[in-house]
Amino acid sequence: TFKLKMMETYTFTFAAIGMVLSIMLVPWSTQAQSVARPPPNILLVLTDDQDYMLGSSSREYMPNVNSLVGDAGLELQNFIVSMAWCCPSRASLFTGRFVHNHNITSGKWPQGGANKFLASGFGNDTLAVWLNQLGYNSYFTGKYLNGFGAELAMPEPCPKGYRVFEGLVQKRGQYK
């Protein structure tokens, strides 16, 4: 029984030492990894109305994207959207919420659009804000949300989180 007690004591001691060392080394190893690797670059290309079944994602509709991306070998055949309508889907992407949680159900006021999105306070808690908090510089160009325009009384020159914002302005149904 003495041998058995000694083995139990040694086993317990080695297990305890192993546990202490692993606890001490975890922060060190995480620090070493974060110093060694810069954060990855992120490029998000967002397009509307790309219906694969109706052919609107074919080469004739987006020749530049196809030549730069498709010809390099990227073809997305399996994809989903939270809602098959541009403004509610964009609101979901920007906020991380499904349509039933942000209630942007249309591209026009009062059910949706940029006015409802910003009036609901969603502009303060978006993907751009989260990336900014992680140290990323965000740049936006193109269509932001339906109805986005100069007439929106925005307290800042661009939606929060973007370092540079070059959003298209919608006037009389057309983006300029």
Side-chain angles (χ1 to χ4, degrees):
T1 61
F2 178 74
K3 251 185 180 177
L4 187 57
K5 289 251 189 225
M6 287 292 282
M7 286 180 67
E8 288 175 0
T9 306
Y10 285 129
T11 306
F12 176 76
T13 304
F14 286 125
I17 290 171
M19 191 181 286
V20 169
L21 281 175
S22 66
I23 290 171
M24 289 172 51
L25 293 177
V26 166
W28 176 80
S29 65
T30 340
Q31 270 185 324
Q33 286 178 351
S34 65
V35 171
R37 271 192 249 162
N41 292 323
I42 300 169
L43 174 64
L44 174 65
V45 178
L46 176 63
T47 63
D48 289 331
D49 307 323
Q50 300 300 297
D51 190 304
Y52 191 77
M53 298 300 287
L54 296 178
S56 61
S57 59
S58 70
R59 180 169 290 284
E60 67 188 73
Y61 288 96
M62 296 181 18
N64 293 336
V65 171
N66 277 294
S67 67
L68 295 170
V69 178
D71 291 348
L74 179 65
E75 182 179 344
L76 305 174
Q77 294 183 358
N78 300 312
F79 46 85
I80 59 169
V81 294
S82 58
M83 178 157 182
W85 199 352
C86 59
C87 197
S89 188
R90 284 173 181 260
S92 290
L93 176 70
F94 295 156
T95 64
R97 297 175 173 98
F98 284 110
V99 176
H100 65 273
N101 289 323
H102 60 61
N103 203 29
I104 306 294
T105 58
S106 169
K108 295 182 180 177
W109 180 265
Q111 291 84 18
N115 285 323
K116 182 173 182 183
F117 183 84
L118 296 171
S120 299
F122 292 123
N124 299 321
D125 190 25
T126 64
L127 178 62
V129 172
W130 307 327
L131 289 171
N132 186 275
Q133 291 169 348
L134 292 172
Y136 284 93
N137 291 319
S138 298
Y139 170 79
F140 186 94
T141 184
K143 177 183 168 186
Y144 184 60
L145 289 165
N146 293 53
F148 182 80
E151 68 279 356
L152 292 176
M154 294 182 60
E156 299 173 10
C158 67
K160 289 186 176 167
Y162 296 103
R163 183 169 181 209
V164 177
F165 183 85
E166 295 178 358
L168 294 175
V169 175
Q170 186 176 12
K171 292 184 179 178
R172 294 186 197 94
Q174 299 294 317
Y175 286 95
K176 309 274 184 192

